[in-house]
Amino acid sequence: MAFWFAEHHRSHCRAGNPFGAVPGLATSPTSRAGCHRLIKEFGARIITDATDAAEL
């Protein structure tokens, strides 16, 4: 699953498709493996409200 996750988001980056992530708690393992990884490794935009999402 982790390989698919990474490859799926790499393909979005290569295609120039914008994407975002809603950050969770820094202490949560699921946040570190999911949305925090998207932000850190794949340059996802941080989504904090509806305006952020609409700007994508």
Side-chain angles (χ1 to χ4, degrees), residues 8-20 42-43 45 56:
H8 177 75
H9 290 92
R10 278 191 195 102
S11 68
H12 276 277
C13 290
R14 284 192 294 266
N17 297 329
F19 62 97
F42 300 103
R45 300 238 345 239
L56 286 177

Side-chain angles (χ1 to χ4, degrees), residues 15-47:
N17 297 329
F19 62 97
V22 179
L25 295 173
T27 56
S28 169
T30 55
S31 291
R32 287 192 304 268
C35 58
H36 290 196
R37 183 176 178 197
L38 288 175
I39 294 165
K40 184 176 180 180
E41 295 181 25
F42 300 103
R45 300 238 345 239
I46 298 172
I47 305 299

